[in-house]
């Protein structure tokens, strides 16, 4: 996108108490794009037929509002939709859900950018480390940072560790457990984490490539916290 689009978005945010989101919509006509944008505004906010809230305070405040809809090349449109901060509160996960929840499942819809008013910038100041922090950790100061997952489910620890070693030697900077690797008998959590960390260190010694290994610490209840401490 042209940086002018972002500049205008920020300017609009400065004069509004709502946060703005840009979606790119694939559509064959402006009317069709408008219908899609309206469906996004409904789905990302109240998530029910509009007739259920029409004429109420919810319709006036909570429902997303289409602020702008403009062409963006052949069969594509940019929709700027605003939402009220009150619908998000101080819940970051709800903020992400409202940006691109169920609409992420719709074909031909892409989240492009968002802009927050000052009140939300104080609530959500941004990542602790950010892009520069990740670059410092990986030692990749320019260009793309490569990331991959080790898989598939059912692979023993020794083979998973070998994948980590090969990926790190090959220049992959971030290597993560696949999301379905937990504490299965063929790849127990502690054994897997220890072996993969050793593989990352061995790859650094052999190739000079510094990589990060990210363990999947998900678990039932407090088990996820305990696994995170073990991994650390």
């Amino acid at each position: 996108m042209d940086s002018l689009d972002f500049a205008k978005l920020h300017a609009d945010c400065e004069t509004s108490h709502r946060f703005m989101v840009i979606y790119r919509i694939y559509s064959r006509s402006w009317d069709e794009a408008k219908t899609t944008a309206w469906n996004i505004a409904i789905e990302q906010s109240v998530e029910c037929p509009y007739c259920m809230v029409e004429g109420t305070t919810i319709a006036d405040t909570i429902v997303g509002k289409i602020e702008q809809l403009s062409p963006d090349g052949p069969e594509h449109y940019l929709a700027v939709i605003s939402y009220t901060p009150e619908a998000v509160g101080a819940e970051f996960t709800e903020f992400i859900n409202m940006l691109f929840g169920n609409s992420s499942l719709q074909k031909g819809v892409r989240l492009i950018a968002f802009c927050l008013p000052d009140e939300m910038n104080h609530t959500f100041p941004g990542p602790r480390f950010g892009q520069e922090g990740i670059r410092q950790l990986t030692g990749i100061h320019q260009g793309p940072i490569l990331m991959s997952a080790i898989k598939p489910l059912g692979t023993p620890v020794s083979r998973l560790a070998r994948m980590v070693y090969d990926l790190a030697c090959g220049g992959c900077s971030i290597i993560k457990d696949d999301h379905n690797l937990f504490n299965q008998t063929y790849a127990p959590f502690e054994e897997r984490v220890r072996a993969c960390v050793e593989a990352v260190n061995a790859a650094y010694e052999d190739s000079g490539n510094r990589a990060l290994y990210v363990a999947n610490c998900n678990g039932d209840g407090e088990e996820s916290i305990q696994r995170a401490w073990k991994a650390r």
Side-chain angles (χ1 to χ4, degrees):
M1 287 180 60
D2 192 309
S3 60
L4 292 177
D5 292 325
F6 289 103
K8 185 180 186 307
L9 185 66
H10 281 276
D12 290 341
C13 267
E14 290 178 355
T15 59
S16 173
H17 74 283
R18 298 169 69 88
F19 64 97
M20 308 281 184
V21 188
I22 295 181
Y23 303 93
R24 192 168 192 250
I25 299 171
Y26 169 79
S27 180
R28 290 165 293 184
S29 69
W30 189 90
D31 288 337
E32 184 181 77
K34 183 179 180 181
T35 298
T36 300
W38 175 242
N39 289 335
I40 293 172
I42 294 293
E43 190 65 26
Q44 292 307 119
S45 54
V46 291
E47 199 177 335
C48 69
Y50 183 70
C51 61
M52 295 181 63
V53 298
E54 188 173 8
T56 69
T57 303
I58 292 175
D60 295 335
T61 58
I62 303 299
V63 173
K65 300 183 185 300
I66 302 174
E67 303 290 347
Q68 182 179 333
L69 182 64
S70 56
D72 185 47
E75 298 187 329
H76 284 88
Y77 295 82
L78 292 179
V80 179
I81 300 177
S82 69
Y83 304 97
T84 176
E86 285 77 9
V88 173
E91 302 293 331
F92 182 72
T93 49
E94 171 54 18
F95 171 58
I96 297 298
N97 178 61
M98 186 161 284
L99 285 179
F100 205 42
N102 288 353
S103 292
S104 66
L105 304 176
Q106 297 180 14
K107 187 176 181 180
V109 176
R110 175 175 292 182
L111 172 66
I112 297 294
F114 63 88
C115 179
L116 307 182
D118 286 341
E119 61 183 285
M120 291 188 72
N121 277 322
H122 294 305
T123 304
F124 305 123
R128 182 189 298 181
F129 302 108
Q131 183 184 113
E132 291 306 314
I134 296 297
R135 289 194 177 280
Q136 183 176 353
L137 288 171
T138 59
I140 306 296
H141 301 292
Q142 290 184 339
I145 299 174
L146 302 181
M147 178 175 178
S148 185
I150 53 174
K151 58 174 61 182
L153 188 65
T155 305
V157 168
S158 59
R159 289 180 58 191
L160 292 173
R162 181 67 196 193
M163 288 182 204
V164 170
Y165 176 84
D166 290 341
L167 285 165
C169 287
C172 188
S173 298
I174 304 177
I175 306 162
K176 64 178 284 289
D177 283 341
D178 200 22
H179 65 276
N180 53 18
L181 291 176
F182 281 75
N183 191 38
Q184 292 92 344
T185 55
Y186 40 76
F189 176 80
E190 290 189 50
E191 181 184 349
R192 183 180 74 248
V193 171
R194 185 178 296 109
C196 290
V197 169
E198 290 174 353
V200 164
N201 292 336
Y204 177 66
E205 292 292 330
D206 295 343
S207 68
N209 293 335
R210 186 181 302 280
L212 304 177
Y213 163 67
V214 183
N216 178 21
C217 298
N218 289 328
D220 296 334
E222 294 183 356
E223 183 66 31
S224 60
I225 299 175
Q226 295 170 8
R227 288 178 183 169
W229 279 108
K230 289 177 182 178
R232 182 178 181 182

